[in-house]
Amino acid sequence: MTGAIYPKMAVIGCGLIGSSLIRAARRAGVVDEVAVTDLSPEVLKRVHVLGLAEHVTGDVAEAVADADLVVFAVPVLTMGEAAKKAAHALKPGATVTDVGSVKSAVAEALAAELPDNVFLVPGHPIAGTEQSGPDAGFAELFDKRWTILTPLPRTDEAYQGAVKRLSAFWTAIGANVEVMDEKHHDLVLAVTSHLPHLIAYNIVGTAADLEEVTQAEVMKYSAGGFRDFTRIAASDPTMWRDIFVANKDAVLEILGRFTEDLQALSRAIRWGEADKLHDLFSRTREIRRGVIAAGQESAEPNFGRDRDKH
Ligand code: NAP
């Protein structure tokens, strides 16, 4: 037990990530009291039944009142609208953060709505599953995963203190913390998460549209690689729609590079350049080994669930 880092935490949006955060914070004993609000009455009912929070309300302002830490865990394009409802009720000196998968657009949307007397420290836990909702959450989700904080360019001591405190919170609930510039975050995540999802959505879509291969065959023989793509392509449509809209520039930049490399591969196949193919496949095998060595492989002990990175 670490002792409460934030006496009261308010979570706006109690889906997979919001509910996991509550479970992890309770497990670590770093909050005394939790308030939850969500747009969905069904979610609020489930939060109540699951006993996740002391206060469960449909009113954002009511949830954030007196909270020392306010976490926005709603889809990326909804952050600004949720912050607008909370703004007038925030406690002066509170730390406000989020878990959105894109940082530049979210930081801008939140900053536009929040008052000057709170500390905005945007964040992103690089952990998730393809599930949604409060029942899908679990306390171990963030264990040994990275959480990236993208603080504002403020050097005053009070703000730096708020960043340190939030970093201590994430560390206490099991995560590794890295501080990064928001633009760099968006580029890194475009490579490691957004592009892989786009490829998965595309390949599963292509297979579904093929006329020469039946849907039954696609499912029956999916172990040949396709199966792993279907898991990624089962990720929440709202969340991923928002990510591609909000991280357009970085995704298009990486997609441009990817398309060039794909063209080169296509040429190598057409001209039978076996050595070129072998060289690439050997290099990528090394990257896979690096991922495993970094302890970021989801098939390792993961509490019986797939945790991949968004
Ligand atoms: P989720 O399971 O769908 O939960 C989001 C919840 O927020 C839903 O219950 C939703 O209600 C509610 N909501 C939407 N707009 C709201 C508003 N204005 N006010 C209050 N509640 C609102 O989603 P999630 O997977 O936890 O994702 C939440 C955030 O975490 C996203 O920004 C995502 O980018 C980020 N993230 C996700 C993952 C992941 O793997 N899933 C990983 C890292 C970060 P309705 O269903 O009624 O809309």
Side-chain angles (χ1 to χ4, degrees), residues 138 140-141 143-145 295-307:
F138 52 105
E140 300 84 2
L141 180 65
D143 285 355
K144 298 192 174 65
R145 295 304 198 209
Q296 299 300 307
E297 158 53 35
S298 64
E300 280 182 354
N302 68 355
F303 319 98
R305 301 159 216 241
D306 278 330
R307 299 183 300 165

Side-chain angles (χ1 to χ4, degrees), residues 11-16 18 35-45 47 56-60 63 73-75 85 133-134:
V11 174
I12 323 299
C14 198
L16 169 75
V36 158
T37 185
D38 197 286
L39 265 193
S40 157
E42 284 76 44
V43 166
L44 292 179
K45 253 186 243 156
V47 170
V56 184
T57 170
D59 186 322
V60 178
V74 299
K85 291 187 197 156

Side-chain angles (χ1 to χ4, degrees), residues 13 15-17 38-40 73-75 78 99-101 125 127-129 132-133 239 310:
L16 169 75
I17 301 296
D38 197 286
L39 265 193
S40 157
V74 299
T78 318
V99 293
S101 308
T129 76
S132 306
M239 172 178 152
H310 299 320

Side-chain angles (χ1 to χ4, degrees), residues 39 54 95 141 155 171 175 196 219 247 277 289 308:
L39 265 193
E54 281 77 16
T95 293
L141 180 65
T155 50
T171 305
M219 286 174 214
N247 202 24
L277 296 176
R289 288 180 179 145
D308 65 10

Side-chain angles (χ1 to χ4, degrees), residues 58-257:
D59 186 322
V60 178
E62 198 182 307
V64 302
D66 297 327
D68 307 281
L69 175 66
V70 175
V71 184
F72 288 94
V74 299
V76 162
L77 295 183
T78 318
M79 296 278 181
E81 173 198 321
K84 192 174 193 162
K85 291 187 197 156
H88 69 280
L90 291 166
K91 175 165 136 178
T95 293
V96 177
T97 189
D98 73 287
V99 293
S101 308
V102 177
K103 294 277 51 84
S104 303
V106 167
E108 195 181 324
L110 291 177
E113 302 298 343
L114 298 177
D116 291 339
N117 61 2
V118 298
F119 299 113
L120 169 61
V121 186
H124 177 205
I126 317 295
T129 76
E130 67 279 14
Q131 309 293 328
S132 306
D135 286 282
F138 52 105
E140 300 84 2
L141 180 65
F142 311 110
D143 285 355
K144 298 192 174 65
R145 295 304 198 209
W146 287 95
T147 287
I148 299 177
L149 300 180
T150 60
L152 309 182
R154 273 179 65 169
T155 50
D156 57 292
E157 212 173 292
Y159 185 75
Q160 291 302 321
V163 176
K164 261 196 200 138
R165 193 172 169 197
L166 186 61
S167 178
F169 171 84
W170 277 107
T171 305
I173 67 175
N176 302 319
V177 177
E178 183 88 45
V179 170
M180 203 181 275
D181 165 65
E182 60 191 31
K183 284 220 160 7
H184 190 63
H185 165 279
D186 289 350
L187 194 65
V188 170
L189 268 291
V191 183
T192 59
S193 172
H194 306 170
L195 184 65
H197 276 77
L198 197 67
I199 294 167
Y201 283 125
N202 192 48
I203 197 169
V204 174
T206 301
D209 290 345
L210 276 182
E211 276 147 20
E212 304 81 0
V213 180
T214 66
Q215 297 254 346
E217 284 173 312
V218 168
M219 286 174 214
K220 188 168 163 189
Y221 303 118
S222 68
F226 187 72
R227 185 181 54 195
D228 291 345
F229 284 112
T230 62
R231 182 179 61 75
I232 299 175
S235 299
D236 187 70
T238 305
M239 172 178 152
W240 283 95
R241 175 201 64 192
D242 284 13
I243 288 173
F244 290 114
V245 171
N247 202 24
K248 175 175 139 184
D249 292 346
V251 169
L252 289 178
E253 186 177 334
I254 297 301
L255 192 57
R257 284 290 297 269

